[in-house]
């Protein structure tokens, strides 16, 4: 835990924020300023729990990206701890320790621990829901475990809506493991549903109060993990049923990113095979959990490795079981002497086994470093925002030209003081050019600059010939169109920040709009 926590918090504030972090960073900022109306009308399509915890961290540590990311660190640590406790109850302390090490060295978990996103909270609550449900299933006379399971599921839905999938896993576990008391346990399961409804209903009532029925369409979009870019991304690996077998280990063909390191992934799959072979009560429970999540997120049209992070604990537990199964075989092995004394042969086998497992963990740690280091770039958004704060009057604005994953309007708004309106920073086109096909009209852009009294446009190193999503348009063409208007640029006021580190997004330039 010390090693994992140290790695998770090291240089936590250096990496530039991701687009998906901003609803929670800026949402937490609005809540910390008591701007509830702005929050509810802007970000209420996300479940509120992560933002509420982020707000608490902002109050304690100040409003900054490090405080927001510490929320993810906290829940990743809690996820490892609950996996340890869960595995200990099921399989004993040794397997619990190995499972925790495997989970804590998974590259995807470390990366998610360093960004303000929902997935670490999803892993924690999904595992806790299944843990409390298993406790009740093992002792179905325990009403306390039943009630707590429903409470955790309700709170978990307020952390990430997709956790509702665990309810399907629960139902199937009752069907497979409680056939003698099927009707009674199905009836008790409805107690969980009632508790869940009571917990989540106030949140959906608030959404309706502030936004009417319109925001619910956005919620359905979020629950479907939707996006214009997703269908192309989601069909890269064929056939579809094996999509996540590749996605969990190698989501990008040209980038060294491994959410789960291949040796641990193979050990996990072997562990699942061991579960299917043994088929005891615990094994059936864990297999049901794995299959429900895998099949559900395979069936939905949009796929991405972050959606199946509830499988990470299962694969860690399965890998630990397979490792300890092999260890038991070695420990009980009675070799015949073949020129080497039997005891020495057994020691050689034991050392070889230990080296293989150590290599798997070390290889996973290396992958975790590579995956995290890839995104350790710094874009000077705060420095540029500070300049805008000092040089924009109340009725002036600045516009970001062609926002993308690492630079958008909310990132600038996050650093604005409360006295400045967030509408003083905006972007054109409205959607990200690396995820949606842009419709860039230079005449419309100039008209909007006049209408919104723009003082500066924000340019950056996107890549001289990097084409936007699903189009031949690139940043060089956009800059040429801007320059050809003759209405931008003042040699006495053209500040920039950042160092030249390649073609992609390390420097920010402010260019005056001459009117």
């Amino acid at each position: 835990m010390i090693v994992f926590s140290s790695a998770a918090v090291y240089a936590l504030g250096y990496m530039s924020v991701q687009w998906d972090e901003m609803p929670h960073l800026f949402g937490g900022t609005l809540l910390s300023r008591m701007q509830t109306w702005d929050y509810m009308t802007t970000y209420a399509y996300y479940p509120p729990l992560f933002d509420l915890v982020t707000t608490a961290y902002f109050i304690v540590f100040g409003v900054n990206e490090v405080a927001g990311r510490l929320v993810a660190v906290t829940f990743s640590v809690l996820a490892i701890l609950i996996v340890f406790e869960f595995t200990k109850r099921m399989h004993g302390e040794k397997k619990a320790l190995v499972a925790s090490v495997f989970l804590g060295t998974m590259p995807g978990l470390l990366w998610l621990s360093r960004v303000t996103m929902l997935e670490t909270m999803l892993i924690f609550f999904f595992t806790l829901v299944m843990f409390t449900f298993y406790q009740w299933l093992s002792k179905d006379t325990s009403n306390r475990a039943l009630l707590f399971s429903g409470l955790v599921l309700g709170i978990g839905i307020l952390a990430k809506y997709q956790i509702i999938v665990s309810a399907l896993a629960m139902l199937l576990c009752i069907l497979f493991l409680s056939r003698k008391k099927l009707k009674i346990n199905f009836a008790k399961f409805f107690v969980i549903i009632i508790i869940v409804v009571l917990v989540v209903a106030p949140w959906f009532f608030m959404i309706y109060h502030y936004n009417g029925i319109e925001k619910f369409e956005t919620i359905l979009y979020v629950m479907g993990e939707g996006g214009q870019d997703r269908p192309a991304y989601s069909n890269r690996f064929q056939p579809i049923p094996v999509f996540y077998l590749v996605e969990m280990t190698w989501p990008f063909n040209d980038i060294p990113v491994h959410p789960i390191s291949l040796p641990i992934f193979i050990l996990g799959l072997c562990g699942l095979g061991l579960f299917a072979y043994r088929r005891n009560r615990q094994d059936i429970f864990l297999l049901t959990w794995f299959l429900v999540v895998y099949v559900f997120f395979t069936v939905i049209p949009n796929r991405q490795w972050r959606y199946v992070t509830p499988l990470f604990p299962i694969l860690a537990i399965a890998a630990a079981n397979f490792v300890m199964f092999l260890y038991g075989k070695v420990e009980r092995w009675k070799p015949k002497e073949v020129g080497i004394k039997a005891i020495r042969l057994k020691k050689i086998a034991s050392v070889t086994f230990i080296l293989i497992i150590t290599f798997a963990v070390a290889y996973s740690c290396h992958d975790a470093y590579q995956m995290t280091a890839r995104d350790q770039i710094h874009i000077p958004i705060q420095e540029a925002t500070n300049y805008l704060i000092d040089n924009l009057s109340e009725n002036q604005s600045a516009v970001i030209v062609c926002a993308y994953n690492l630079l958008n309007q909310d990132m600038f708004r996050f650093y604005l003081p409360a006295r400045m309106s967030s509408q003083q920073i905006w972007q054109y086109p409205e959607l990200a050019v690396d995820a949606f096909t842009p419709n860039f009209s230079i005449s419309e852009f100039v008209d909007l600059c006049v209408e919104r009294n723009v003082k500066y446009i924000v340019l950056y190193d996107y890549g001289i010939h990097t084409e936007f999503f699903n189009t031949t348009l690139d940043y060089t063409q956009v800059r040429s169109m801007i320059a050809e208007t003759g209405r931008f640029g003042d040699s006495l006021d053209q500040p920039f920040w950042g160092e030249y580190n390649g073609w992609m997004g390390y420097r920010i330039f402010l260019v005056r709009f001459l009117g």
Side-chain angles (χ1 to χ4, degrees):
M1 292 309 306
I2 293 172
V3 172
F4 176 84
S5 300
S6 300
V9 301
Y10 178 74
L12 193 59
Y14 179 79
M15 183 180 74
S16 292
V17 292
Q18 310 278 316
W19 188 296
D20 288 345
E21 290 186 85
M22 292 319 301
H24 313 299
L25 286 173
F26 191 50
T29 303
L30 293 175
L31 288 174
S32 66
R33 295 172 179 172
M34 304 300 291
Q35 295 176 259
T36 307
W37 181 272
D38 292 335
Y39 172 78
M40 291 299 298
T41 55
T42 306
Y43 294 121
Y45 53 87
Y46 280 105
L49 187 59
F50 195 99
D51 296 346
L52 292 172
V53 179
T54 302
T55 302
Y57 274 56
F58 282 170
I59 293 172
V60 175
F61 300 108
V63 179
N64 55 74
E65 61 269 33
V66 173
R69 288 169 174 172
L70 282 175
V71 179
V73 174
T74 300
F75 280 93
S76 61
V77 169
L78 291 174
I80 295 172
L81 291 174
I82 197 64
V83 165
F84 177 84
E85 186 64 25
F86 192 4
T87 312
K88 185 178 75 171
R89 298 287 183 92
M90 270 190 167
H91 303 292
E93 291 182 344
K94 291 182 180 180
K95 292 177 183 176
L97 177 60
V98 177
S100 300
V101 171
F102 283 160
L103 180 63
T105 55
M106 284 184 180
L109 182 68
L110 180 64
W111 187 86
L112 289 168
S113 302
R114 297 174 57 83
V115 291
T116 312
M117 296 183 190
L118 302 176
E119 277 70 26
T120 58
M121 191 175 275
L122 169 65
I123 295 172
F124 169 72
F125 276 105
F126 204 109
T127 307
L128 184 59
V129 166
M130 298 306 290
F131 177 35
T132 55
F133 182 73
Y134 179 77
Q135 291 293 101
W136 171 72
L137 207 58
S138 300
K139 301 176 181 178
D140 53 18
T141 57
S142 173
N143 292 325
R144 181 183 300 177
L146 177 70
L147 296 175
F148 191 61
S149 182
L151 180 63
V152 173
L153 179 56
I155 297 173
I157 292 173
L158 297 180
K160 192 167 174 71
Y161 296 130
Q162 288 79 359
I163 202 174
I164 194 66
V165 177
S166 62
L168 177 58
M170 292 176 182
L171 277 172
L172 291 177
C173 285
I174 292 175
L175 180 63
F176 297 150
L177 301 175
S178 297
R179 294 180 181 178
K180 294 181 180 179
K181 299 181 179 180
L182 202 58
K183 291 183 178 180
I184 296 174
N185 284 341
F186 270 138
K188 288 184 177 181
F189 181 77
F190 281 102
V191 175
I192 293 178
I193 302 301
I194 293 170
I195 295 172
V196 168
V197 171
L198 292 175
V199 172
V200 303
W203 168 244
F204 288 107
F205 175 78
M206 287 181 64
I207 293 175
Y208 180 77
H209 172 72
Y210 281 96
N211 302 284
I213 200 69
E214 179 181 354
K215 190 68 74 174
F216 288 95
E217 297 177 2
T218 310
I219 291 175
L220 292 175
Y221 169 86
V222 172
M223 291 181 68
E225 309 285 10
Q228 181 180 341
D229 60 321
R230 293 289 184 247
Y233 182 96
S234 301
N235 295 300
R236 295 166 302 134
F237 306 129
Q238 299 291 339
I240 292 302
V242 302
F243 176 89
Y244 278 117
L245 295 180
V246 181
E247 175 74 6
M248 281 190 281
T249 55
W250 197 294
F252 306 109
N253 295 327
D254 56 339
I255 301 175
V257 172
H258 311 282
I260 301 178
S261 185
L262 188 59
I264 291 180
F265 189 69
I266 292 173
L267 290 172
L269 293 180
C270 290
L272 292 174
L274 179 64
F275 291 164
Y277 174 75
R278 294 189 311 201
R279 294 193 300 277
N280 60 36
R281 188 177 182 84
Q282 299 97 316
D283 297 338
I284 292 174
F285 181 87
L286 294 172
L287 272 175
T288 303
W289 175 352
F290 180 89
L291 291 173
V292 166
V293 174
Y294 189 94
V295 171
F296 178 86
F297 287 102
T298 296
V299 169
I300 65 173
N302 295 322
R303 305 173 191 89
Q304 213 256 17
W305 69 266
R306 281 168 35 208
Y307 306 161
V308 293
T309 49
L311 296 182
F312 285 23
I314 289 295
L315 288 167
I317 296 170
N321 270 269
F322 186 69
V323 165
M324 297 309 294
F325 170 78
L326 293 180
Y327 178 77
K329 290 290 186 181
V330 172
E331 191 176 36
R332 293 187 298 272
W333 181 41
K334 296 179 180 180
K336 296 179 180 179
E337 294 189 18
V338 286
I340 304 176
K341 289 184 177 181
I343 188 66
R344 183 174 295 179
L345 188 62
K346 189 171 181 177
K347 286 181 178 179
I348 291 173
S350 299
V351 169
T352 302
F353 174 79
I354 291 169
L355 288 175
I356 291 172
I357 302 307
T358 302
F359 167 78
V361 173
Y363 192 88
S364 187
C365 291
H366 175 265
D367 278 350
Y369 171 78
Q370 293 289 338
M371 184 172 175
T372 306
R374 166 181 168 264
D375 287 325
Q376 289 299 303
I377 61 173
H378 178 72
I379 300 177
I381 296 174
Q382 185 171 7
E383 295 88 331
T385 306
N386 290 339
Y387 186 89
L388 292 173
I389 291 170
D390 294 334
N391 290 274
L392 288 181
S393 63
E394 186 177 347
N395 64 341
Q396 292 176 324
S397 71
V399 55
I400 300 162
V401 179
C402 299
Y404 77 119
N405 185 50
L406 296 180
L407 193 143
N408 73 357
Q409 60 190 12
D410 284 350
M411 297 174 189
F412 282 79
R413 291 170 176 176
F414 177 64
Y415 296 107
L416 289 179
R419 61 179 173 82
M420 290 187 68
S421 169
S422 62
Q423 301 308 310
Q424 289 185 256
I425 307 289
W426 54 287
Q427 61 195 35
Y428 181 88
E430 291 186 1
L431 301 176
V433 297
D434 61 338
F436 298 87
T437 305
N439 180 20
F440 190 95
S441 167
I442 188 62
S443 59
E444 181 184 42
F445 177 64
V446 172
D447 289 344
L448 287 172
C449 288
V450 174
E451 178 184 331
R452 301 193 182 190
N453 195 20
V454 166
K455 184 175 183 179
Y456 295 102
I457 64 171
V458 181
L459 305 175
Y460 53 94
D461 291 317
Y462 183 81
I464 57 172
H465 297 302
T466 302
E467 295 180 348
F468 301 147
F469 180 80
N470 200 27
T471 182
T472 57
L473 185 67
D474 59 35
Y475 211 75
T476 299
Q477 297 174 48
V478 169
R479 286 186 298 180
S480 296
M481 285 189 282
I482 291 172
E484 288 169 2
T485 65
R487 303 180 69 173
F488 298 87
D490 181 348
S491 59
L492 299 178
D493 188 9
Q494 46 188 19
F496 73 94
W497 297 266
E499 297 179 357
Y500 184 76
N501 289 307
W503 298 117
M504 291 294 292
Y506 289 81
R507 296 184 297 175
I508 290 179
F509 306 84
L510 297 187
V511 178
R512 282 289 295 270
F513 176 55
L514 304 179

